[in-house]
Amino acid sequence: MNSYGQGALSTSSKKAIKYYDEGELLVKQRKFPEAIDQYNKAVATDSDFIEAHLRLAFCYELLRNNDGLQRHLEEVIRIAPRSVKYKNAYYSLAKVYFNQGKYKLSEAMIETLEQLGIDNPRMKADVVKMKENVTFAVENLQKPIDIHPAPMGATINGHPYQYFPVLTADEQNIIYTVRMGSSFYDDENIVISAKDANGNWTKPVSISPNINSQFNEGTCTISADGRILIFTTCEGRQGYGGCDLYISEKQGDDWGVPKNLGPGINSRSWESQPALSADGRKLYFVSDRAGGVGKRDIWVAEKDTQNSWQKARNLGTSINTSEEEVSPFIHVNGSTLFFASTGYPGFGGYDLYKSEKADTTWSTPVNLGYPLNTFEDQVSLFISVNGKNGYYSFEKAEGGERRESLLYSFEFPGEGILENKSIFITGNIYDANSKKPLKAEIELFILGENVPASIFASDSITGEYLTILNENSRIALYINCPGYLFESETFDLSNGEKLAVRHDFYLKPINIGNSVRLNNLFFDVNSADLSPESKTELNKVVRFLNDNPGVRISIAGHTDDQGTEQYNQQLSQSRAQAVYDYLVKEGINPQTLTFAGYGESKPIVRKTDEESRRLNRRIEFMVEGL
């Protein structure tokens, strides 16, 4: 708090001055509670003793006692209204009122302060920002968003402190941080709760003995499939600085021993509050390291093609300010970033904001509005895959200190909060013969692009996988496993109707006679011209043959039953040859390839509806030799 001007004291009471001087000595000794006792005796002797009230305000501010701070600042203004000498009381009281959500009172204090004059440039800049926040808050309180946040219930909120919730993409598991006792300084652990058959949350339990320890573990993030966890630890594990980020991977039901993410991400400074992209290849986090924009900034690191984390970079001034940016959350769509900040116009404390990414540029952050944001701190927002459900921690403070932190949930109205929506696809990958689960590599491509948008793997024990597909896009999905033919599938999400898809894959061993359908080849109607989007699949066949140099294949073209038999046979032959020609052009030995057209003679489905005809129109390749 600023000094308010000293000099001649405002009281003539020697007794009051004696108490005041004793308080001053105690302040120099940093014995603030004892000093408060003396200053209180001074104002009890003379209730209009301005300097004693100012010193009480000073002490209460240091002790984060906002009630005491406010009370004595109000006394100064009562005793000496509109006094130039004590005008800084208006400045401090404007901040107190703003932090309590009393925006009109704060506005009145600022108005009087400006009339009295502001000489300090730093104070003037602070007042400009405070006025902007007051104006924003008053205006936006009048247009609340239609949400109704509510506590998640006693089962989830079983501790005085729980915060930073994250959920798996299917919203069947919630993982969050709890304090194990009633004090904010008690042990901090990561817990997990799952929904039962009735849709109720079960009692949270420790996520794993490999992760939780006698030291603090918290502020975690999880990949969309629930199998990669990154969390914060500040002691007890080998690290680079005060707090570091660690990773643990899940196989079956067991979490692996955590590993430090290394010097590309961790530094000698503070790193915490991680947010992992859906595929686990991009990590946003908070650090106060040198080279940032403000006090705490959001940083990002990415994995290279060798699955190594590259050096983190600051997200830049499009997101970070000179103040605090914390608790990032990157939605599974990969393009919507939510975070908390004290640096943008808001209602006070930490507010929640949203920014959209287009190419490499982030849009200007937008305040998420009231009642999600209030004058109290709101942090750690999580938004569901479909953009409809929100989860966050609501912190209650008293006397400037956090007294309770509960998990809240709510539902956005209408279409939700997202511009770019997503669905999730899940299933298992098996050996087609034995039905044994397989650990397979899964690649996602935007059709027509030759660089995968995402690469991940199924669980080595269960074969389970889960991934995110963004709406308004056409996705090619590939399942690869050494010793097996790859499988492909197309997902056209341009209509945006589905929320989730289940698709199991059965991989065939690379044996003579086994064949696979090429689902991502596209021809114009009644044409053998391959569309540009087919390049993704064709290059996949090229890579498969290069990775398996002894394999010889035959390419078979098939049509539906529309048109004459002769026409269909010729069309299927031309389409099979178009695939053959592309592979040869890309360097595949023509001696390992044959092709043929079968027209409508080998249908998969003997029906005449459009879906059956779509299934019958296809290109396959079969293993003819090894």
Side-chain angles (χ1 to χ4, degrees):
M1 190 173 73
N2 290 273
S3 61
Y4 296 92
Q6 298 295 323
L9 297 176
S10 60
T11 184
S12 59
S13 169
K14 293 182 179 180
K15 186 175 182 182
I17 293 172
K18 175 178 177 295
Y19 290 134
Y20 176 85
D21 289 341
E22 289 175 356
E24 292 291 88
L25 289 173
L26 290 165
V27 163
K28 290 178 180 179
Q29 299 171 26
R30 306 191 65 79
K31 296 180 179 179
F32 299 111
E34 293 86 349
I36 287 173
D37 288 340
Q38 297 302 315
Y39 293 135
N40 274 326
K41 291 177 181 178
V43 298
T45 304
D46 183 350
S47 60
D48 290 345
F49 189 176
I50 294 177
E51 288 75 20
H53 285 295
L54 288 173
R55 297 304 277 171
L56 281 165
F58 169 77
C59 290
Y60 281 127
E61 184 178 36
L62 288 176
L63 297 176
R64 297 185 178 182
N65 183 326
N66 288 328
D67 291 339
L69 170 63
Q70 176 184 333
R71 184 169 64 253
H72 291 284
L73 289 174
E74 290 174 338
E75 281 293 290
V76 172
I77 291 175
R78 176 191 64 79
I79 299 164
R82 305 184 65 84
S83 167
V84 173
K85 181 178 181 181
Y86 302 113
K87 64 184 179 182
N88 286 7
Y90 286 94
Y91 170 66
S92 293
L93 200 50
K95 292 197 292 184
V96 169
Y97 287 146
F98 178 77
N99 291 333
Q100 295 175 347
K102 298 174 180 177
Y103 304 120
K104 289 294 186 180
L105 289 175
S106 180
E107 190 174 42
M109 296 298 105
I110 292 172
E111 183 178 344
T112 302
L113 176 62
E114 289 183 322
Q115 292 171 357
L116 295 173
I118 305 174
D119 305 319
N120 186 314
R122 189 170 180 179
M123 182 188 295
K124 185 175 292 187
D126 198 20
V127 167
V128 169
K129 180 180 177 181
M130 202 177 342
K131 284 178 66 176
E132 182 182 16
N133 283 332
V134 167
T135 300
F136 174 89
V138 170
E139 289 179 356
N140 285 274
L141 281 176
Q142 306 307 312
K143 43 185 179 182
I145 55 176
D146 185 21
I147 63 169
H148 306 281
M152 291 187 68
T155 301
I156 292 296
N157 290 311
H159 296 79
Y161 302 101
Q162 41 266 304
Y163 32 85
F164 286 92
V166 294
L167 288 85
T168 49
D170 57 10
E171 294 183 81
Q172 295 301 300
N173 294 276
I174 183 170
I175 301 168
Y176 55 103
T177 307
V178 301
R179 291 284 179 178
M180 302 309 294
S182 59
S183 168
F184 185 68
Y185 302 99
D186 287 320
D187 187 29
E188 191 177 39
N189 283 333
I190 300 171
V191 298
I192 183 169
S193 172
K195 282 186 177 177
D196 61 23
N198 298 317
N200 299 316
W201 291 110
T202 58
K203 183 178 180 180
V205 296
S206 170
I207 190 168
S208 169
N210 278 343
I211 294 174
N212 289 322
S213 71
Q214 62 182 344
F215 303 101
N216 290 346
E217 291 81 25
T219 55
C220 67
T221 182
I222 196 164
S223 58
D225 61 6
R227 296 195 298 112
I228 300 175
L229 184 81
I230 294 177
F231 64 98
T232 310
T233 289
C234 300
E235 56 182 332
R237 289 184 169 97
Q238 186 173 3
Y240 294 87
C243 291
D244 277 8
L245 298 175
Y246 295 77
I247 186 169
S248 175
E249 298 189 33
K250 188 179 184 183
Q251 299 295 336
D253 293 328
D254 298 323
W255 287 99
V257 175
K259 299 178 181 178
N260 190 291
L261 281 176
I265 292 175
N266 292 314
S267 72
R268 300 171 71 178
S269 299
W270 178 87
E271 280 78 40
S272 187
Q273 301 175 6
L276 194 62
S277 62
D279 61 1
R281 302 187 67 82
K282 187 174 289 187
L283 178 67
Y284 299 81
F285 62 96
V286 178
S287 178
D288 60 0
R289 68 181 69 183
V293 176
K295 299 171 184 176
R296 292 183 181 179
D297 282 358
I298 299 174
W299 297 68
V300 63
E302 299 181 51
K303 279 186 175 180
D304 61 19
T305 55
Q306 304 302 314
N307 285 325
S308 297
W309 288 106
Q310 298 302 289
K311 186 176 181 180
R313 56 182 173 82
N314 191 281
L315 216 51
T317 55
S318 56
I319 297 295
N320 293 315
T321 70
S322 59
E323 297 299 321
E324 301 250 349
E325 278 68 48
V326 299
S327 63
F329 165 66
I330 186 69
H331 189 262
V332 293
N333 65 17
S335 62
T336 309
L337 180 70
F338 298 88
F339 63 97
S341 175
T342 61
Y344 292 98
F347 296 89
Y350 286 101
D351 276 13
L352 294 165
Y353 298 83
K354 179 185 79 163
S355 176
E356 297 286 345
K357 187 177 184 181
D359 295 325
T360 59
T361 304
W362 292 99
S363 66
T364 301
V366 175
N367 190 294
L368 293 184
Y370 176 83
L372 184 55
N373 289 320
T374 69
F375 65 90
E376 297 182 279
D377 288 336
Q378 277 72 43
V379 293
S380 62
L381 181 67
F382 182 96
I383 301 296
S384 63
V385 171
N386 62 6
K388 294 282 291 182
N389 302 319
Y391 305 82
Y392 71 107
S393 52
F394 179 77
E395 298 185 354
K396 295 182 179 180
E398 182 180 308
E401 293 186 6
R402 182 161 50 173
R403 298 297 184 188
E404 187 177 45
S405 180
L406 303 176
L407 298 190
Y408 275 57
S409 64
F410 61 91
E411 183 175 330
F412 284 106
E415 294 297 313
I417 193 174
L418 298 175
E419 296 177 18
N420 302 308
K421 296 183 175 60
S422 305
I423 72 168
F424 67 88
I425 175 171
T426 186
N428 292 76
I429 301 171
Y430 302 101
D431 181 297
N433 297 328
S434 68
K435 305 303 185 287
K436 177 183 176 182
L438 294 176
K439 180 179 182 180
E441 179 189 73
I442 303 160
E443 296 176 294
L444 295 182
F445 288 81
I446 306 297
L447 278 172
E449 298 181 6
N450 201 34
V451 178
S454 177
I455 304 173
F456 56 101
S458 59
D459 189 282
S460 62
I461 296 175
T462 66
E464 185 177 11
Y465 75 95
L466 185 149
T467 189
I468 301 299
L469 307 179
N470 290 334
E471 285 186 354
N472 303 317
S473 59
R474 300 181 70 199
I475 303 293
L477 184 147
Y478 295 96
I479 310 294
N480 316 297
C481 188
Y484 291 84
L485 298 176
F486 71 84
E487 286 281 342
S488 65
E489 190 56 82
T490 302
F491 295 93
D492 188 347
L493 306 178
S494 56
N495 56 19
E497 293 178 357
K498 294 182 178 180
L499 296 177
V501 173
R502 179 167 185 89
H503 198 304
D504 293 335
F505 289 90
Y506 294 85
L507 303 189
K508 300 173 185 176
I510 304 176
N511 294 335
I512 294 175
N514 279 344
S515 64
V516 64
R517 174 179 176 142
L518 300 176
N519 287 308
N520 295 318
L521 293 185
F522 308 98
F523 296 91
D524 294 335
V525 176
N526 296 322
S527 170
D529 293 333
L530 286 157
S531 73
E533 290 181 330
S534 300
K535 190 174 182 180
T536 303
E537 187 100 330
L538 293 167
N539 289 336
K540 183 65 182 174
V541 179
V542 170
R543 196 174 85 182
F544 171 81
L545 293 173
N546 286 331
D547 290 344
N548 298 276
V551 173
R552 301 193 309 276
I553 66 170
S554 62
I555 303 161
H558 303 270
T559 68
D560 59 28
D561 60 355
Q562 292 184 307
T564 66
E565 287 187 20
Q566 181 180 6
Y567 175 82
N568 287 336
Q569 196 282 325
Q570 290 174 343
L571 180 62
S572 64
Q573 179 83 6
S574 297
R575 287 179 170 178
Q577 183 171 355
V579 174
Y580 170 89
D581 290 343
Y582 185 94
L583 299 181
V584 172
K585 184 186 70 172
E586 292 299 313
I588 299 301
N589 184 352
Q591 300 301 314
T592 65
L593 304 172
T594 62
F595 66 92
Y598 297 93
E600 61 187 78
S601 65
K602 295 184 177 183
I604 295 175
V605 182
R606 295 187 178 275
K607 294 181 181 180
T608 58
D609 60 279
E610 181 52 38
E611 176 60 19
S612 298
R613 285 172 171 155
R614 185 190 68 80
L615 292 172
N616 289 332
R617 297 189 297 267
R618 67 199 188 277
I619 298 287
E620 298 176 333
F621 77 74
M622 178 185 293
V623 178
E624 287 200 327
L626 298 173

